[in-house]
Amino acid sequence: MGSSVRCFTSLMLLLSIFLPVSESSQFCKAGIEYGDSECEFPSSSSSKILIKGGTVVNAHHQEIADVYVEDGIIVAVKPNIKVGDDVIVLDATGKFVMPGGIDPHTHLAFDFMGTQTVDDFFGGQSAALAGGTTMHIDFVIPVNGSLSAGYEAYTKKAKKSCMDYGFHMAITKWDEIVSRDMEIMVKEKGINSFKFFLAYKGDLMIKDELLLEGFKKCKSLGALAMVHAENGDAVFEGQKRMIELGITGPEGHALSRPAVLEGEATARAIRLAGFMDTPLYVVHVMSIDAMEEIAEARKKGQRVIGEPVVSGLVLDDSELWNPDFKTAAKFVMSPPIRAAGHGEALQAALSTGVLQLVGTDHCGFSSAQKALGIDDFRKIPNGVNGIEERMHLVWDTMVESGQISVTDYVRLTSTECARIFNIYPRKGAILAGSDADIIILNPNSSFEISASSHHSRSDTNVFEGRRGKGKVEVTIARGRVVWENDELKVAPGSGKYIDMPPFGYLFNGIDKEDAKYLSSLQAPVKRSI
């Protein structure tokens, strides 16, 4: 910890002793540990905000208008709104006013590969808010296969949340208890998606028999089936092969799980989902191989969603061969970051609608944690950052380059996620009645990414040194200004869990498809004995 941070922490301690709680609590900022303590927003914060003169952008429309917010809800979107003196007024002239980002894929406070990610729900969410993301959906991992125990564990982890969040649920085994708990998760706990790992043999990986049972149950509940698509058995074989060849460094990670294994698992999951006639969501699409399988399935009319992540869009695998272990190891994630050319192909797939939204798979580890695998790449904790960088990098990579429009940007970073997980237009829109999760982005401002200035607790950043155009200058979460003038004002416990109801739009018409299938069977045939 630097001397300036130590001085700041000491000052906060003195102030907490000598000032009343209502005054000292306004110093609750990201980057300081508060444990489970509760902090209040500064008393000067108004529940009324007027954003004037900006270009308001939704997924299918943009217009110059004012946005008026009261008590955490957007009240009006129209030109020339008049307000009283008790309103915070933000001038957005020449800037874009957009829905806050929704990250569909994160891992905060995640126990994995013998350690836990450095970013918990407060620290990771603080980083997200600084980058313009106002909601994320994290993955609950069962405890000893128990969904209920996993849900309870993650509910406790999320008590310090400073922005809204939802949960996906992983399925790691199958029995009647798991089947019953899936119903409870959907009907009582607000979870409408379940993830199946086809990788991580001996840990999270499931076999096709379980996958089929899970698909069937998801369909009956109106819950979206998600897959981590890599062939875990083949990856295990590839890892053994690398070790036998004496390849123990981070490059062995990429060499042991080539793109063909991602393509195979993606194809298998798509075909099995098609067999069960249930919608499928493929997480962290990292390769041309997987993308092409999704494209082919969608071309045939199958309900398949493809989610690339920002690291796969803008990075290549060259740094895995860096002679410095610390540098190389920070790029280890699964599926791996691919060779040059894959990222550009994924960008093109986003711009043409083959892929539908952008996540991060934010799963941060320190360099010390990554060093657990210094003699064996199989022990390097898998994961990279992205929760703070996603909105900026997608803008610079996709909008500044002319590959997508500003409205497309809103769709890919916010609205489509809200639609898929059935929380639109509460989230993902600048509309009267929507939650006041809003960002103001200045297309003429620039950003630079560095571990020295990011808000993650990791000491490294895979996007280190990257610069670009388009900066989120203001973030409003639940109607509060939480990021402005490069300063965070966030409070543990101020975020809320968002229930996500089942039977989203991807399930529309499935009952008719099933009826058509049954009528086509021409069976059973009546035969005489």
Side-chain angles (χ1 to χ4, degrees), residues 361-377:
D361 194 11
H362 181 90
C363 189
F365 296 101
S366 69
S367 55
Q369 289 172 306
K370 292 279 190 175
L372 293 170
I374 194 165
D375 297 317
D376 185 344
F377 69 83

Side-chain angles (χ1 to χ4, degrees), residues 8-29:
F8 183 79
T9 305
S10 299
L11 175 62
M12 295 305 100
L13 181 60
L14 289 170
L15 287 169
S16 68
I17 294 171
F18 293 110
L19 290 178
V21 172
S22 61
E23 294 178 346
S24 64
S25 63
Q26 68 177 298
F27 293 102
C28 294
K29 306 265 183 88

Side-chain angles (χ1 to χ4, degrees), residues 11-209:
L11 175 62
M12 295 305 100
L13 181 60
L14 289 170
L15 287 169
S16 68
I17 294 171
F18 293 110
L19 290 178
V21 172
S22 61
E23 294 178 346
S24 64
S25 63
Q26 68 177 298
F27 293 102
C28 294
K29 306 265 183 88
I32 308 297
E33 289 285 358
Y34 293 103
D36 293 322
S37 64
E38 293 294 324
C39 299
E40 300 295 332
F41 285 96
S43 57
S44 61
S45 291
S46 172
S47 63
K48 300 176 182 178
I49 300 172
L50 177 66
I51 306 170
K52 287 191 65 66
T55 301
V56 176
V57 187
N58 282 298
H60 303 293
H61 178 67
Q62 66 183 70
E63 61 179 325
I64 295 177
D66 298 344
V67 180
Y68 178 59
V69 170
E70 193 169 311
D71 297 327
I73 302 296
I74 297 172
V75 175
V77 182
K78 60 183 181 181
N80 303 315
I81 297 176
K82 306 300 181 184
V83 294
D85 295 333
D86 60 339
V87 178
I88 293 176
V89 178
L90 302 173
D91 185 2
T93 303
K95 303 172 186 179
F96 292 109
V97 180
M98 298 184 280
I102 307 174
D103 190 338
H105 189 154
T106 62
H107 297 281
L108 302 182
F110 178 28
D111 297 297
F112 185 52
M113 296 184 72
T115 187
Q116 187 179 88
T117 54
V118 292
D119 292 322
D120 62 11
F121 275 78
F122 179 61
Q125 290 181 351
S126 298
L129 291 170
T133 288
T134 54
M135 180 180 169
H136 71 111
I137 312 177
D138 211 80
F139 285 89
V140 173
I141 306 299
V143 175
N144 297 323
S146 170
L147 277 56
S148 294
Y151 177 82
E152 292 302 320
Y154 270 75
T155 298
K156 291 178 182 177
K157 291 179 180 182
K159 281 185 177 180
K160 294 190 289 184
S161 291
C162 57
M163 77 181 199
D164 289 357
Y165 64 97
F167 285 148
H168 309 292
M169 175 72 74
I171 303 294
T172 56
K173 73 172 191 176
W174 190 261
D175 56 29
E176 285 304 311
I177 296 175
V178 171
S179 178
R180 181 200 66 204
D181 279 357
M182 286 179 71
E183 293 189 28
I184 293 172
M185 293 301 125
V186 172
K187 296 176 181 178
E188 300 178 19
K189 305 300 184 183
I191 292 174
N192 67 3
S193 51
F194 296 92
K195 182 179 180 180
F196 303 88
F197 288 87
L198 307 187
Y200 300 119
K201 185 175 182 176
D203 186 12
L204 299 171
M205 177 180 160
I206 55 95
K207 295 291 188 179
D208 288 354
E209 180 182 8

Side-chain angles (χ1 to χ4, degrees), residues 220-259:
S220 71
L221 294 171
L224 184 57
M226 313 175 80
V227 289
H228 172 140
E230 288 182 287
N231 186 313
D233 288 323
V235 167
F236 185 74
E237 178 61 32
Q239 290 174 329
K240 289 194 298 182
R241 180 188 300 172
M242 292 305 112
I243 296 299
E244 289 169 359
L245 291 171
I247 301 172
T248 60
E251 69 278 10
H253 178 76
L255 293 170
S256 68
R257 48 206 315 147

